[in-house]
Amino acid sequence: MPQLDFANPLMISKLVWLLIIFGLLYFVLKNYALPRVASVLDERAARIAADLNAARDAQAAGEAALAELRAATAAARGEAQAAVAAAMAEANAQAARQAEAINQRLNAQVAEAEGRVRAARDAAMASINGVANDTAKALLDKLNVRADDAAVAAAVNAAAGGRG
């Protein structure tokens, strides 16, 4: 190959310049270009790590907030159930008080009605002797029998067993 003819005196100078240019390029890349690229890569990796940490922190905060929300919901549900139970107990107690008041009022009305019935019965029983006397007199008058009022009353009283 003619490009690699080392017998040619220009080939040695080409190789020297090649080594000088590659050495200079290596020196520039190593000291200036690659450290900047490395710092950019390190900075990017650090920013990604910081973003991942922030995302983890946000996820943990979100999970904590969700747990707190669930706990608050459970507490509110418990309070609501307690309030409903208290309202039901109060309503039942009020209904029992109203039922007791109605029962007392009805018992008073029943007692009053029984008293009126007793009074009417006693009045009827008291007037039964008078009705029996009148009936006995009317029957005796129909039969054309004359009797003394005192004797009729005594006979009716004896027949009734002395109730009047």
Side-chain angles (χ1 to χ4, degrees), residues 2-22:
Q3 296 91 351
L4 298 177
D5 184 15
F6 288 106
N8 186 355
L10 290 176
M11 184 56 124
I12 301 280
S13 68
K14 286 181 185 178
L15 284 177
V16 169
W17 278 110
L18 177 70
L19 288 176
I20 290 172
I21 290 173
F22 274 119

Side-chain angles (χ1 to χ4, degrees), residues 39-56:
S39 69
V40 167
L41 290 176
D42 290 342
E43 184 180 311
R44 178 183 275 169
R47 191 176 328 130
I48 289 171
D51 289 346
L52 286 175
N53 287 335
R56 284 187 195 108

Side-chain angles (χ1 to χ4, degrees), residues 30-151:
K30 181 182 176 199
N31 291 327
Y32 296 107
L34 291 179
R36 288 182 185 168
V37 171
S39 69
V40 167
L41 290 176
D42 290 342
E43 184 180 311
R44 178 183 275 169
R47 191 176 328 130
I48 289 171
D51 289 346
L52 286 175
N53 287 335
R56 284 187 195 108
D57 292 343
Q59 182 181 10
E63 289 174 356
L66 181 61
E68 183 179 325
L69 175 66
R70 287 182 179 156
T73 301
R77 186 175 292 126
E79 289 175 8
Q81 288 174 347
V84 167
M88 289 294 292
E90 177 62 29
N92 287 339
Q94 185 177 3
R97 286 192 300 269
Q98 288 176 347
E100 183 63 30
I102 290 171
N103 284 339
Q104 288 177 354
R105 191 176 74 228
L106 290 176
N107 287 340
Q109 289 176 351
V110 165
E112 182 184 331
E114 285 177 350
R116 286 194 308 256
V117 167
R118 225 178 285 116
R121 185 190 67 209
D122 291 345
M125 291 304 282
S127 67
I128 204 160
N129 279 342
V131 171
N133 283 338
D134 292 342
T135 304
K137 286 180 193 174
L139 284 173
L140 290 176
D141 284 341
K142 288 276 185 185
L143 295 174
N144 289 326
V145 175
R146 300 281 172 224
D148 183 25
D149 287 341

